């Protein structure tokens, strides 16, 4: 995925940050332009079993990377279920322009929780433009892509009132 982004956007045109708290896979990552970074961090989520010393909430990760006040053009997440505990924070992170999330159905959710995920994204101006079943696990997960529109474009009240 990262190589495709780099090829499409252009070498040296964007930073790519990859996160995986389960091991150091940095040696497997291509970094021809010196703008790809590997972090052994996970996304901390209230109520999730996947928390530990190398897990941080989204606002802390943004702060640690020095991305406060910067646009994040693409945020792709596949966290094996943590999306159900972090979707509100992801949706509310106003500097993310596009979100790609793999949603895991199994034991993590019920239909009402699924509606809440999509509702939180929509209320924050993130509109789904793509959905795709995971070919390897079609009954267990699907990938959804959202793009953020300005609240005024969508006819929604702005966050400030």
């Amino acid at each position: 995925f990262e190589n495709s982004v780099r090829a499409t956007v252009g070498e040296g045109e964007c930073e790519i940050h990859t996160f995986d708290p389960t091991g150091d896979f940095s040696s497997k990552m291509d970094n021809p332009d010196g703008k790809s970074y590997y972090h052994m961090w996970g996304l901390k989520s209230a109520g999730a079993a996947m928390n530990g010393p190398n897990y941080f909430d989204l606002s802390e990760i943004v702060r640690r990377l020095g991305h406060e006040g910067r646009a994040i053009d693409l945020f792709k997440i596949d966290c094996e279920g943590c999306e159900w505990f972090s979707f509100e924070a992801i949706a509310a992170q106003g500097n993310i322009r596009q979100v790609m999330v793999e949603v895991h159905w199994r034991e993590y959710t019920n239909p009402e929780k699924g509606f809440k995920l999509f509702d939180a994204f929509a209320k924050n101006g993130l509109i789904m433009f793509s959905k795709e079943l995971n070919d390897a696990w079609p009954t267990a997960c699907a990938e959804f892509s959202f793009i953020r529109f300005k609240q005024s474009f969508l006819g929604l009240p702005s966050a400030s009132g």
Side-chain angles (χ1 to χ4, degrees), residues 91-106:
Q93 188 74 34
N95 61 332
I96 297 176
R97 295 179 176 164
Q98 184 176 328
V99 176
M100 298 171 72
V101 59
E102 183 167 79
V103 175
H104 301 82
W105 311 119
R106 298 182 301 269

Side-chain angles (χ1 to χ4, degrees), residues 1-78:
F1 175 81
E2 292 85 351
N3 289 337
S4 295
V5 168
R6 191 179 296 107
T8 301
V9 174
E11 214 168 280
E13 294 299 318
C14 68
E15 293 178 15
I16 297 174
H17 294 268
T18 303
F19 304 86
D20 188 337
T22 63
D24 186 354
F25 303 103
S26 58
S27 63
K28 296 180 181 181
M29 181 164 47
D30 291 335
N31 193 8
D33 56 8
K35 289 193 163 196
S36 295
Y37 306 94
Y38 186 87
H39 309 276
M40 284 183 55
W41 302 345
L43 186 59
K44 181 178 184 176
S45 308
M50 299 168 263
N51 288 325
N54 289 339
Y55 286 73
F56 306 99
D57 62 31
L58 185 55
S59 61
E60 175 65 11
I61 290 172
V62 168
R63 188 192 68 72
R64 283 174 174 251
L65 296 177
H67 289 172
E68 293 169 305
R70 290 178 58 188
I72 298 171
D73 293 314
L74 175 61
F75 183 80
K76 183 179 187 295
I77 184 167
D78 176 0

